[in-house]
Coordinates of all heavy atoms in Angstrom, one line a residue:
A29 N 94.4 100.9 88.4 CA 94.7 102.3 88.1 C 94.6 102.6 86.6 O 94.8 103.7 86.2 CB 96.0 102.7 88.7
A58 N 93.9 93.6 98.8 CA 93.7 93.9 100.2 C 93.5 92.6 101.0 O 94.1 92.4 102.1 CB 92.5 94.7 100.4
G87 N 92.5 91.7 123.0 CA 92.7 91.4 124.5 C 92.4 90.0 124.9 O 92.6 89.7 126.1
L108 N 97.7 74.5 97.2 CA 97.0 74.0 96.0 C 96.7 75.1 95.0 O 96.8 74.9 93.8 CB 95.6 73.3 96.5 CG 95.7 72.0 97.2 CD1 94.3 71.6 97.7 CD2 96.3 70.9 96.3
H121 N 100.4 83.3 78.5 CA 99.1 83.9 78.5 C 99.0 84.7 77.2 O 99.8 85.6 76.9 CB 99.0 84.9 79.7 CG 97.7 85.2 80.0 ND1 96.9 86.1 79.3 CD2 96.9 84.9 81.1 CE1 95.7 86.2 79.8 NE2 95.7 85.5 80.9
P138 N 107.5 83.7 93.9 CA 107.7 83.5 95.4 C 106.4 83.1 96.1 O 106.4 82.5 97.2 CB 108.1 84.9 95.9 CG 108.7 85.6 94.7 CD 107.9 85.0 93.5

Side-chain angles (χ1 to χ4, degrees):
L108 289 173
H121 199 289

